[in-house]
Amino acid sequence: MSVEGATEREFVTKVLAPFLSQHGIYASPVDIRGKVSLDRISNELRQLIPAFDHVTTFYDYYGFHKRPAGGVVDVERSIQELVEPEQRRLLIPYVQLHEFEALVLAAPDRAEETLGVLGLADKLRTIVDTAGGAENVNDGYETCPSRRIKSLAPAYDKKLHGPIILDQSLDEVRNQCPRFNGWVTSLLLLA
């Protein structure tokens, strides 16, 4: 799994890889250390595709540098086109809409329990309901999912708390985040 940064790496290592291994799929994250762009991804995929049975990506749409015109599906299509046609069956491009913290928003009770902020779950539910779903939360620089969580729970550390929150709530998150669930389901089909 080519991942955007430390947060995604920790999530894959501590939550997603153990879950997938229960289904006979073994995944390991390769961190490209942020500043995601098609140029950087292209270089990464050239190294990864020949070395593994399958490769997937896990990058945030929010902050994707020089992203192609269109939406998140167009970015994924552009990632797919970075590899040779005969190798495309080995690649499952995935870009999180809008950022990793959308997944945290989908687990409000666990977030409140982990962060110890009374009333946090209800506030997160209101944010998600107003946006029409956790994956739809992103109104701008100050209101993207990570900053919304941080404004309500200043101690939130995405690399530390994100995996803890998601560890016991992966099924709930999959139910609340259809794009994320579609990606996880496509990975499960590799078994």
Side-chain angles (χ1 to χ4, degrees), residues 53-169:
D53 294 335
H54 294 278
V55 174
T56 190
T57 65
F58 186 28
Y59 312 129
D60 290 346
Y61 183 72
Y62 180 77
F64 196 105
H65 294 271
K66 300 177 187 174
R67 65 181 176 224
V72 68
V73 173
D74 297 298
V75 174
E76 290 174 341
R77 188 175 305 115
S78 294
I79 292 170
Q80 185 78 40
E81 292 170 357
L82 293 173
V83 299
E84 296 298 324
E86 65 275 4
Q87 295 177 324
R88 291 182 184 162
R89 63 182 175 71
L90 305 175
L91 176 64
I92 301 171
Y94 176 69
V95 177
Q96 177 63 41
L97 183 67
H98 283 275
E99 64 178 343
F100 172 81
E101 278 73 21
L103 307 178
V104 173
L105 290 174
D109 294 323
R110 183 78 170 128
E112 180 174 323
E113 177 186 319
T114 301
L115 298 169
V117 176
L118 292 176
L120 178 63
D122 288 337
K123 291 175 183 173
L124 295 180
R125 277 190 196 87
T126 299
I127 290 168
V128 169
D129 290 347
T130 300
E135 291 177 312
N136 296 328
V137 176
N138 188 47
D139 291 329
Y141 180 78
E142 289 300 323
T143 54
C144 61
S146 59
R147 286 189 178 82
R148 288 183 189 231
I149 295 168
K150 191 85 168 149
S151 73
L152 297 170
Y156 175 69
D157 177 317
K158 60 186 185 174
K159 187 173 90 172
L160 172 66
H161 295 117
I164 293 170
I165 291 167
L166 298 174
D167 185 42
Q168 300 298 315
S169 52

Side-chain angles (χ1 to χ4, degrees), residues 34-72:
K35 297 217 179 205
V36 176
S37 68
L38 290 175
D39 289 338
R40 292 198 64 214
I41 295 167
S42 178
N43 291 332
E44 185 77 13
L45 293 179
R46 260 181 265 175
Q47 296 173 31
L48 295 177
I49 293 283
F52 295 94
D53 294 335
H54 294 278
V55 174
T56 190
T57 65
F58 186 28
Y59 312 129
D60 290 346
Y61 183 72
Y62 180 77
F64 196 105
H65 294 271
K66 300 177 187 174
R67 65 181 176 224
V72 68

